[in-house]
């Protein structure tokens, strides 16, 4: 699926990707119960779907799934 790299942050091991052709995404995932949303439209306690590969050297290479927005800030209200 074609994507465009919008932002890379090596320090936080984070990348933001934009799907450049959403018709392929929607046509191949039509049966999944999800809706694309912006960060501004999310709220604490909201159920979300993400696929992550954090700290692969310690946690392995299998994807990790998240499900609830528990916070919109880090320690001392930082954005991380």
């Amino acid at each position: 699926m074609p994507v465009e790299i919008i932002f890379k942050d090596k320090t936080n091991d984070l990348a933001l990707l934009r799907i450049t052709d959403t018709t392929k995404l929607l046509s191949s995932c039509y049966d999944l119960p999800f809706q694309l949303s912006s960060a501004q439209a999310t709220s604490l306690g909201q159920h979300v779907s993400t696929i992550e590969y954090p700290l692969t050297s310690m946690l392995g290479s299998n994807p990790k799934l998240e499900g609830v927005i528990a916070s919109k800030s880090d320690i001392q209200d930082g954005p991380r």
Side-chain angles (χ1 to χ4, degrees), residues 10-72:
K10 288 186 178 192
T11 301
N12 294 303
D13 190 23
L14 178 69
L16 178 62
L17 306 176
R18 175 183 293 144
I19 300 169
T20 57
D21 186 355
T22 59
T23 57
K24 292 181 181 181
L25 172 71
L26 298 176
S27 66
S28 64
C29 299
Y30 65 91
D31 59 339
L32 296 177
F34 73 89
Q35 177 181 351
L36 299 178
S37 180
S38 69
Q40 294 82 12
T42 60
S43 59
L44 293 178
Q46 182 176 353
H47 290 269
V48 295
S49 298
T50 65
I51 301 174
E52 305 174 47
Y53 296 86
L55 303 171
T56 54
S57 62
M58 291 190 320
L59 300 176
S61 61
N62 291 322
K64 310 303 183 257
L65 306 176
E66 295 292 326
V68 176
I69 296 178
S71 177
K72 287 191 168 189

